PDB file of all heavy atoms in Angstrom:
ATOM      1  N   PRO A 316     -15.299  30.686  -8.017  1.00  0.00           N
ATOM      2  CA  PRO A 316     -15.075  31.417  -6.773  1.00  0.00           C
ATOM      3  C   PRO A 316     -15.285  30.523  -5.566  1.00  0.00           C
ATOM      4  O   PRO A 316     -15.913  29.472  -5.649  1.00  0.00           O
ATOM      5  CB  PRO A 316     -16.135  32.519  -6.848  1.00  0.00           C
ATOM      6  CG  PRO A 316     -17.229  31.943  -7.691  1.00  0.00           C
ATOM      7  CD  PRO A 316     -16.533  31.092  -8.711  1.00  0.00           C
ATOM      8  N   GLU A 317     -14.777  30.953  -4.412  1.00  0.00           N
ATOM      9  CA  GLU A 317     -14.906  30.186  -3.175  1.00  0.00           C
ATOM     10  C   GLU A 317     -16.357  29.947  -2.798  1.00  0.00           C
ATOM     11  O   GLU A 317     -16.664  28.982  -2.098  1.00  0.00           O
ATOM     12  CB  GLU A 317     -14.190  30.887  -2.019  1.00  0.00           C
ATOM     13  CG  GLU A 317     -12.699  30.660  -1.983  1.00  0.00           C
ATOM     14  CD  GLU A 317     -12.089  31.016  -0.629  1.00  0.00           C
ATOM     15  OE1 GLU A 317     -12.867  31.265   0.316  1.00  0.00           O
ATOM     16  OE2 GLU A 317     -10.871  31.045  -0.522  1.00  0.00           O
ATOM     17  N   SER A 318     -17.237  30.805  -3.233  1.00  0.00           N
ATOM     18  CA  SER A 318     -18.650  30.657  -2.881  1.00  0.00           C
ATOM     19  C   SER A 318     -19.234  29.344  -3.386  1.00  0.00           C
ATOM     20  O   SER A 318     -20.249  28.872  -2.852  1.00  0.00           O
ATOM     21  CB  SER A 318     -19.468  31.833  -3.453  1.00  0.00           C
ATOM     22  OG  SER A 318     -19.302  31.917  -4.866  1.00  0.00           O
ATOM     23  N   LEU A 319     -18.592  28.704  -4.367  1.00  0.00           N
ATOM     24  CA  LEU A 319     -19.063  27.389  -4.829  1.00  0.00           C
ATOM     25  C   LEU A 319     -19.038  26.388  -3.689  1.00  0.00           C
ATOM     26  O   LEU A 319     -19.887  25.479  -3.625  1.00  0.00           O
ATOM     27  CB  LEU A 319     -18.202  26.900  -5.991  1.00  0.00           C
ATOM     28  CG  LEU A 319     -18.583  25.539  -6.578  1.00  0.00           C
ATOM     29  CD1 LEU A 319     -19.975  25.580  -7.221  1.00  0.00           C
ATOM     30  CD2 LEU A 319     -17.551  25.061  -7.602  1.00  0.00           C
ATOM     31  N   LEU A 320     -18.105  26.541  -2.757  1.00  0.00           N
ATOM     32  CA  LEU A 320     -18.003  25.593  -1.638  1.00  0.00           C
ATOM     33  C   LEU A 320     -19.221  25.672  -0.720  1.00  0.00           C
ATOM     34  O   LEU A 320     -19.513  24.705  -0.010  1.00  0.00           O
ATOM     35  CB  LEU A 320     -16.728  25.852  -0.847  1.00  0.00           C
ATOM     36  CG  LEU A 320     -15.410  25.631  -1.608  1.00  0.00           C
ATOM     37  CD1 LEU A 320     -14.229  25.968  -0.719  1.00  0.00           C
ATOM     38  CD2 LEU A 320     -15.315  24.191  -2.107  1.00  0.00           C
ATOM     39  N   ASP A 321     -19.913  26.806  -0.716  1.00  0.00           N
ATOM     40  CA  ASP A 321     -21.111  26.908   0.126  1.00  0.00           C
ATOM     41  C   ASP A 321     -22.213  25.972  -0.348  1.00  0.00           C
ATOM     42  O   ASP A 321     -23.067  25.559   0.439  1.00  0.00           O
ATOM     43  CB  ASP A 321     -21.624  28.359   0.145  1.00  0.00           C
ATOM     44  CG  ASP A 321     -20.654  29.301   0.836  1.00  0.00           C
ATOM     45  OD1 ASP A 321     -19.917  28.844   1.733  1.00  0.00           O
ATOM     46  OD2 ASP A 321     -20.621  30.492   0.469  1.00  0.00           O
ATOM     47  N   THR A 322     -22.197  25.638  -1.636  1.00  0.00           N
ATOM     48  CA  THR A 322     -23.221  24.725  -2.140  1.00  0.00           C
ATOM     49  C   THR A 322     -23.026  23.313  -1.603  1.00  0.00           C
ATOM     50  O   THR A 322     -23.969  22.513  -1.616  1.00  0.00           O
ATOM     51  CB  THR A 322     -23.237  24.670  -3.680  1.00  0.00           C
ATOM     52  OG1 THR A 322     -22.035  24.042  -4.168  1.00  0.00           O
ATOM     53  CG2 THR A 322     -23.353  26.078  -4.276  1.00  0.00           C
ATOM     54  N   TYR A 323     -21.824  22.985  -1.145  1.00  0.00           N
ATOM     55  CA  TYR A 323     -21.597  21.674  -0.528  1.00  0.00           C
ATOM     56  C   TYR A 323     -22.465  21.524   0.710  1.00  0.00           C
ATOM     57  O   TYR A 323     -23.188  20.536   0.854  1.00  0.00           O
ATOM     58  CB  TYR A 323     -20.113  21.515  -0.201  1.00  0.00           C
ATOM     59  CG  TYR A 323     -19.809  20.341   0.701  1.00  0.00           C
ATOM     60  CD1 TYR A 323     -20.128  19.037   0.316  1.00  0.00           C
ATOM     61  CD2 TYR A 323     -19.219  20.521   1.944  1.00  0.00           C
ATOM     62  CE1 TYR A 323     -19.856  17.947   1.148  1.00  0.00           C
ATOM     63  CE2 TYR A 323     -18.952  19.447   2.784  1.00  0.00           C
ATOM     64  CZ  TYR A 323     -19.264  18.179   2.383  1.00  0.00           C
ATOM     65  OH  TYR A 323     -19.010  17.101   3.204  1.00  0.00           O
ATOM     66  N   HIS A 324     -22.416  22.505   1.603  1.00  0.00           N
ATOM     67  CA  HIS A 324     -23.299  22.457   2.787  1.00  0.00           C
ATOM     68  C   HIS A 324     -24.756  22.498   2.368  1.00  0.00           C
ATOM     69  O   HIS A 324     -25.584  21.720   2.891  1.00  0.00           O
ATOM     70  CB  HIS A 324     -22.998  23.632   3.722  1.00  0.00           C
ATOM     71  CG  HIS A 324     -24.012  23.799   4.813  1.00  0.00           C
ATOM     72  ND1 HIS A 324     -23.857  23.248   6.075  1.00  0.00           N
ATOM     73  CD2 HIS A 324     -25.223  24.420   4.836  1.00  0.00           C
ATOM     74  CE1 HIS A 324     -24.920  23.539   6.815  1.00  0.00           C
ATOM     75  NE2 HIS A 324     -25.758  24.252   6.075  1.00  0.00           N
ATOM     76  N   ASP A 325     -25.089  23.400   1.461  1.00  0.00           N
ATOM     77  CA  ASP A 325     -26.499  23.579   1.074  1.00  0.00           C
ATOM     78  C   ASP A 325     -27.097  22.279   0.536  1.00  0.00           C
ATOM     79  O   ASP A 325     -28.279  21.989   0.782  1.00  0.00           O
ATOM     80  CB  ASP A 325     -26.612  24.677   0.006  1.00  0.00           C
ATOM     81  CG  ASP A 325     -26.239  26.050   0.533  1.00  0.00           C
ATOM     82  OD1 ASP A 325     -26.217  26.229   1.772  1.00  0.00           O
ATOM     83  OD2 ASP A 325     -25.951  26.935  -0.278  1.00  0.00           O
ATOM     84  N   GLU A 326     -26.303  21.492  -0.180  1.00  0.00           N
ATOM     85  CA  GLU A 326     -26.821  20.263  -0.789  1.00  0.00           C
ATOM     86  C   GLU A 326     -26.735  19.062   0.133  1.00  0.00           C
ATOM     87  O   GLU A 326     -27.656  18.256   0.197  1.00  0.00           O
ATOM     88  CB  GLU A 326     -26.072  19.996  -2.094  1.00  0.00           C
ATOM     89  CG  GLU A 326     -26.372  21.030  -3.173  1.00  0.00           C
ATOM     90  CD  GLU A 326     -25.673  20.775  -4.490  1.00  0.00           C
ATOM     91  OE1 GLU A 326     -24.780  19.879  -4.544  1.00  0.00           O
ATOM     92  OE2 GLU A 326     -26.008  21.434  -5.482  1.00  0.00           O
ATOM     93  N   ARG A 327     -25.624  18.921   0.834  1.00  0.00           N
ATOM     94  CA  ARG A 327     -25.409  17.685   1.600  1.00  0.00           C
ATOM     95  C   ARG A 327     -25.983  17.737   3.021  1.00  0.00           C
ATOM     96  O   ARG A 327     -26.341  16.676   3.569  1.00  0.00           O
ATOM     97  CB  ARG A 327     -23.922  17.363   1.660  1.00  0.00           C
ATOM     98  CG  ARG A 327     -23.307  17.015   0.321  1.00  0.00           C
ATOM     99  CD  ARG A 327     -24.016  15.865  -0.371  1.00  0.00           C
ATOM    100  NE  ARG A 327     -23.931  14.625   0.394  1.00  0.00           N
ATOM    101  CZ  ARG A 327     -24.582  13.510   0.097  1.00  0.00           C
ATOM    102  NH1 ARG A 327     -25.396  13.463  -0.960  1.00  0.00           N
ATOM    103  NH2 ARG A 327     -24.439  12.424   0.838  1.00  0.00           N
TER     104      ARG A 327
END
Side-chain angles (χ1 to χ4, degrees):
E317 279 197 10
S318 58
L319 180 64
L320 297 178
D321 293 332
T322 68
Y323 167 60
H324 169 94
D325 294 342
E326 292 182 349
R327 294 304 297 172

